[in-house]
Amino acid sequence: RSSISKKLKCMIDNLIMSVYQTLEQAQGIFEKRLIDYGAYWRVMRVDSIVKYLFTKAIRIRIMSDRDQKVNTVRDHIENDFLTIINYSVVGIIQNRLENWRPGDAHMSVDEAMDNYLKVISKFNNYFISLDPYYVEEIGKLSTSDMAKLLIQKTERLERFYTENKEESKVLIFGAFLEIIAWASIAHTTYKATQ
């Protein structure tokens, strides 16, 4: 019995390590786009970000049913999971800075990266608090099932946002953290199976 639990612990540790590598990859993409295009996402409202996440999850669901041997499908699914991670981080930033005026839409690269890293730090605290066996079970889901889960999470997030923005800020924050977690796990497990 102890050898089984050691093996399971090793698998969970490997999954968690891979999730952090996925987050580093997402951060690299975010930083590159930030340098190239600036913080263009500052003009997006939280509800627009949630709809964008929902669209990406639907797209993954549709593509996961197609032939996985086609490189472009694999690349799109991997990139869409990373996009979901980054736009969830953006959603948290925008939710915190929701009361901006049109003239406030600019954010320097340094300020944007600082905000991004603060969110990732909070995510790390959230992620290590999750039950590792639950994380392992989520990691066993198919890409299609993971996309369905992300669709459900974005629908829930939209409900939180539309019901009462001020009272739901904590719920919105938590829902975005959940989406980052599941998209990170999904990207990790999807990449490992290709």
Side-chain angles (χ1 to χ4, degrees), residues 73-192:
V73 171
R74 278 200 316 265
D75 292 346
H76 284 304
I77 290 174
E78 281 187 40
N79 289 335
D80 283 348
F81 281 131
L82 295 170
T83 299
I84 287 172
I85 293 165
N86 282 335
Y87 272 86
S88 295
V89 172
V90 164
I92 290 171
I93 295 169
Q94 291 294 80
N95 187 48
R96 194 171 52 81
L97 306 173
E98 181 74 2
N99 298 323
W100 59 273
R101 296 179 304 281
D104 297 336
H106 176 74
M107 184 182 281
S108 72
V109 170
D110 289 340
E111 187 181 359
M113 276 312 298
D114 184 52
N115 277 290
Y116 185 95
L117 294 172
K118 283 178 184 170
V119 171
I120 292 299
S121 175
K122 288 179 182 185
F123 170 77
N124 288 340
N125 293 334
Y126 166 79
F127 192 66
I128 60 172
S129 74
L130 294 175
D131 180 340
Y133 296 103
Y134 180 61
V135 170
E136 178 67 18
E137 287 304 309
I138 293 292
K140 292 177 185 175
L141 293 176
S142 69
T143 304
S144 181
D145 287 341
M146 188 61 82
K148 285 181 202 170
L149 182 62
L150 287 168
I151 290 164
Q152 291 170 359
K153 298 290 182 191
T154 55
E155 288 172 334
R156 188 170 137 228
L157 178 55
E158 187 169 26
R159 273 196 313 278
F160 290 156
Y161 186 76
T162 54
E163 285 172 6
N164 188 335
K165 293 176 202 165
E166 280 310 309
E167 288 178 18
S168 299
K169 276 196 182 269
V170 173
L171 295 174
I172 292 167
F173 175 73
F176 274 125
L177 289 180
E178 268 189 312
I179 292 170
I180 295 169
W182 306 151
S184 301
I185 294 167
H187 178 270
T188 297
T189 55
Y190 180 77
K191 203 169 171 183

